[in-house]
Amino acid sequence: MSNYHIKNLEEYFQVYRKSIRDPESFWEEIAEENFLWRKRWDKVLEYDLSKPEFSWYKGAKLNITENCIDRHIYGRGDKTAIIFEPNDPSEKAEHISYNQLHERVCKFANVLLDHGVKKGDRVCIYLPMIPELPVSLLACARIGAIHSVVFAGFSSTALHTRINDSDCKIVITSDGSYRGGKTIDLKGIVDEALESCPGVKTVLVVKRINSEISMKPNRDKWLQPLLDEANNTCVPEIMDAEDPLFILYTSGSTGKPKGIVHTTAGYMVYTAYTFKNVFQYRENDVFWCTADIGWITGHSYIVYGALANGATTVLFEGIPSYPDFGRFWEVIQKHKVNQFYTAPTAIRALAKERLDFSGNYDLSSLKILGSVGEPINEEAWHWYNDNIGKKNCPIVDTWWQTETAGIMISPIPYSTPTIPTYATLPLPGVQPALMDENGDELKGNLVSGRLCLKFPWPGMARTIWGNHDRFRETYFSTFKDFYFTGDGALRDSTGYYRITGRVDDVIIVSGHNLGTAPIEDAINEHPAVSESAIVGFPHDVKGNALYGFIILKETGEGRVHDNLRKEINQIITEHIGPIAKLDKIQFVTGLPKTRSGKIMRRILRKIAENDTDNLGDISTLLNPECVQEIMDGAV
Ligand code: WTA
């Protein structure tokens, strides 16, 4: 019986039961099987839920880049670690071997050291999907610096908030990025952000689009000449198992983003284990995850989980629609991709296009298809299964979160029978629970409730950067002694899980988590606006789209004019990024509120979904009269 290449459902249940009966030996065995430890752990798991504090592989010493790179040099040195596929299909793809990756990471690490970056310092990375992005993550990890990658589609305001929250002293960016037929002025966005970041002393700039940019003397430096000069070996910093590896921001129910902290050993073991298990990776496979490294999916499965297994991982700079809607399929054919991992929103967008876009390419290399980020609807699942997998590739609908580090609930290919819209069964070591409204665990099958996790796992987030109280409050206070995910789920008669969506104020738009509060805060900055409320409504490509109900001020400024909707979306773009723009805006004179003044989003959601027959009891509202008015004006 192998913990990894589980062969059938019976074996899955055996491994699963073992992992629950004795989680410590289970995770110990996995840690022993595969990795390079500089010192063995003293204890596999220690935790205290009251704080809450979790320590995995306590006492162990390691460097994650030795596990992701050095370990593979002997035996796999010439094997391709990263295939870089550029935005423009006429630009040549680059194959970076493990030997070359080692050299590039060491050089980059030495440049960081030369600029005074030390163990524990925070480094902000704001880069497009080019090789320097994974290399910079690994360079930070090499020297024990904590990386904080900010998705390069975020605005300058979002960027400076994140830089300041974690006190980054250095920013790594590029002169710009390609996005299909367009270019984006990343350096300009960084310059604007840094006006509000006095702590940043150095900006390292990668040349990608060769645009004219301004370089601030003493602060901004082109990276390439520094790399050319740098030494190509760099002794890895030996880290404690629980030293922070990175911070990654995710949206929360309140305005400020949460800097989720992951630590070294547990993160490594968990992402490596789930990568191998869920994608059934075999030595010469080519794995492609289309996520951006600015999100957790990219961190865990393009970079750490893949490289820890000595895999070949594709890094794609482009978008699915450029130069046409066949691009994904062209890349699969070109690089003979075996495992393909993408988001339902991309599948839905491509499913709308003509079938010959996928039909023109040879997709026979594919073995496994993955989905992540939001519930996959039945239609999209079948399209993916029929046209891409040719009914021959298991689809792994993987449920997990930034906070969990890796996949938690997912079929295991060839073992778990799949059913569209079901993430199916927990991976070994994962103990889900569904809770009712009173906080009691719902036992047995055929139940639905709030999805929690009732036992620690190595990849779990350890804290929110600089705010441990918020960590406790957000994840460990709703249900005592359980980690609360923020999602709702049901368990069917066979024990399969189906994730039904967020139950908090986070809305998933095109696979991106967006908190309603920061968007409302941005809108309220507009001089004409007095108050606003955002809810989601179903959208056939994005999954959800945003609907804003906005009250204008009773002043001259507060009149509706032609440009007002545009200006509101503009202000959202400036504060957060274009991903948070509203699809629908309705100006209203009141918002439904409880007697304690809380906006009743449930009612707004129903109106946005055009499901007003079931509004429920509105008589307890402070201002029930506004509901009819909102319904009459719905767009
Ligand atoms: C949602 C992405 C349904 C869920 C890895 C979760 C999903 C949030 C699935 C985390 C899935 C992710 N089915 N919903 N297979 N995968 N989600 O932090 O609401 O960007 O809580 O991590 O995405 O999003 P995050």
Coordinates of all heavy atoms in Angstrom, one line a residue, residues 347 371 376-386 394-397 418-422:
I347 N -12.7 27.5 -18.4 CA -13.4 26.4 -19.1 C -14.7 27.0 -19.7 O -15.1 26.8 -20.9 CB -13.7 25.2 -18.2 CG1 -12.4 24.7 -17.7 CG2 -14.6 24.2 -18.9 CD1 -12.6 23.7 -16.5
S371 N -9.5 21.0 -11.9 CA -10.3 22.3 -11.8 C -10.2 22.8 -10.4 O -10.1 22.0 -9.5 CB -11.8 21.9 -12.1 OG -12.6 23.0 -11.8
I376 N -17.5 24.1 -10.1 CA -17.6 23.9 -11.5 C -19.0 23.4 -11.8 O -19.4 22.4 -11.2 CB -16.5 22.9 -12.1 CG1 -16.7 22.7 -13.6 CG2 -16.4 21.6 -11.4 CD1 -15.5 22.1 -14.3
N377 N -19.7 24.1 -12.7 CA -21.1 23.7 -13.0 C -21.1 22.5 -13.9 O -20.1 22.2 -14.6 CB -21.8 24.9 -13.6 CG -21.0 25.5 -14.8 OD1 -19.9 25.8 -14.6 ND2 -21.6 25.6 -15.9
E378 N -22.2 21.8 -14.0 CA -22.3 20.6 -14.7 C -22.0 20.7 -16.2 O -21.3 19.9 -16.8 CB -23.7 20.0 -14.5 CG -23.7 18.5 -14.6 CD -24.9 17.9 -13.9 OE1 -25.5 18.4 -13.0 OE2 -25.2 16.7 -14.3
E379 N -22.5 21.8 -16.8 CA -22.3 22.0 -18.2 C -20.8 22.1 -18.6 O -20.3 21.5 -19.5 CB -23.0 23.2 -18.6 CG -23.6 23.2 -19.9 CD -24.2 24.6 -20.2 OE1 -24.8 25.2 -19.2 OE2 -24.2 25.0 -21.4
A380 N -20.1 22.9 -17.7 CA -18.7 23.1 -18.0 C -17.9 21.8 -17.8 O -17.0 21.5 -18.5 CB -18.1 24.2 -17.1
W381 N -18.3 21.1 -16.7 CA -17.6 19.8 -16.4 C -17.7 18.9 -17.6 O -16.8 18.3 -18.1 CB -18.3 19.2 -15.2 CG -17.6 18.0 -14.6 CD1 -16.8 18.1 -13.5 CD2 -17.6 16.6 -14.9 NE1 -16.3 16.9 -13.1 CE2 -16.8 15.9 -14.0 CE3 -18.2 15.9 -16.0 CZ2 -16.5 14.6 -14.1 CZ3 -18.0 14.6 -16.1 CH2 -17.2 13.9 -15.1
H382 N -18.9 18.8 -18.2 CA -19.1 17.8 -19.4 C -18.4 18.3 -20.6 O -17.8 17.5 -21.3 CB -20.6 17.7 -19.7 CG -21.3 16.8 -18.7 ND1 -21.0 15.4 -18.6 CD2 -22.3 17.0 -17.8 CE1 -21.7 14.9 -17.6 NE2 -22.5 15.8 -17.1
W383 N -18.4 19.6 -20.8 CA -17.6 20.2 -22.0 C -16.2 19.8 -21.9 O -15.6 19.3 -22.8 CB -17.8 21.7 -22.0 CG -17.2 22.2 -23.3 CD1 -17.8 22.3 -24.5 CD2 -15.8 22.7 -23.4 NE1 -16.9 22.9 -25.4 CE2 -15.7 23.1 -24.8 CE3 -14.8 22.8 -22.5 CZ2 -14.5 23.6 -25.3 CZ3 -13.6 23.4 -23.0 CH2 -13.4 23.7 -24.4
Y384 N -15.6 20.0 -20.7 CA -14.2 19.7 -20.4 C -14.0 18.2 -20.6 O -13.0 17.8 -21.3 CB -14.0 20.0 -18.9 CG -12.6 20.3 -18.4 CD1 -11.6 20.8 -19.2 CD2 -12.3 20.2 -17.0 CE1 -10.3 21.1 -18.7 CE2 -11.1 20.5 -16.5 CZ -10.1 20.9 -17.4 OH -8.8 21.2 -16.8
N385 N -14.8 17.4 -20.0 CA -14.7 15.9 -20.1 C -14.8 15.4 -21.6 O -14.0 14.6 -22.0 CB -15.8 15.3 -19.2 CG -15.6 13.8 -19.1 OD1 -14.5 13.3 -18.9 ND2 -16.7 13.1 -19.1
D386 N -15.8 15.9 -22.3 CA -16.1 15.4 -23.6 C -15.0 15.9 -24.6 O -14.5 15.2 -25.4 CB -17.4 15.9 -24.1 CG -18.6 15.3 -23.3 OD1 -18.3 14.4 -22.5 OD2 -19.7 15.8 -23.5
P394 N -9.6 11.4 -16.1 CA -10.3 11.7 -14.9 C -10.2 13.2 -14.7 O -9.2 13.8 -14.9 CB -9.6 11.0 -13.8 CG -8.6 10.0 -14.5 CD -8.5 10.4 -15.9
I395 N -11.4 13.8 -14.2 CA -11.4 15.2 -13.9 C -11.3 15.3 -12.3 O -12.1 14.8 -11.6 CB -12.6 15.9 -14.3 CG1 -12.7 15.9 -15.9 CG2 -12.7 17.4 -13.8 CD1 -13.9 16.7 -16.5
V396 N -10.2 16.0 -11.9 CA -10.1 16.2 -10.4 C -10.6 17.6 -10.1 O -10.0 18.6 -10.5 CB -8.7 16.0 -9.9 CG1 -8.4 14.5 -9.9 CG2 -7.6 16.7 -10.7
D397 N -11.8 17.7 -9.5 CA -12.4 18.9 -9.0 C -11.9 19.1 -7.6 O -12.3 18.5 -6.7 CB -13.9 18.8 -9.0 CG -14.6 20.0 -8.5 OD1 -14.0 21.0 -8.1 OD2 -15.9 20.0 -8.4
T418 N -15.7 9.8 -10.3 CA -16.1 11.2 -10.3 C -17.5 11.4 -10.6 O -18.2 10.7 -11.3 CB -15.2 12.0 -11.3 OG1 -15.4 11.5 -12.6 CG2 -13.7 11.9 -10.9
I419 N -18.1 12.5 -10.0 CA -19.5 12.9 -10.4 C -19.4 14.5 -10.6 O -18.8 15.1 -9.8 CB -20.4 12.7 -9.2 CG1 -20.4 11.2 -8.8 CG2 -21.8 13.2 -9.6 CD1 -21.4 10.9 -7.6
P420 N -19.9 15.0 -11.7 CA -19.8 16.4 -12.0 C -20.3 17.2 -10.8 O -21.3 16.8 -10.1 CB -20.7 16.6 -13.2 CG -21.0 15.3 -13.8 CD -20.6 14.3 -12.8
T421 N -19.6 18.3 -10.4 CA -20.0 19.2 -9.4 C -19.6 18.7 -8.0 O -19.7 19.4 -7.0 CB -21.4 19.7 -9.3 OG1 -22.3 18.7 -8.8 CG2 -21.9 20.1 -10.7
Y422 N -19.1 17.5 -7.9 CA -18.6 17.0 -6.6 C -17.1 17.0 -6.5 O -16.4 16.4 -7.3 CB -19.2 15.6 -6.3 CG -20.6 15.6 -5.9 CD1 -21.6 15.7 -6.8 CD2 -21.0 15.5 -4.6 CE1 -23.0 15.7 -6.5 CE2 -22.3 15.6 -4.2 CZ -23.3 15.7 -5.1 OH -24.6 15.7 -4.7

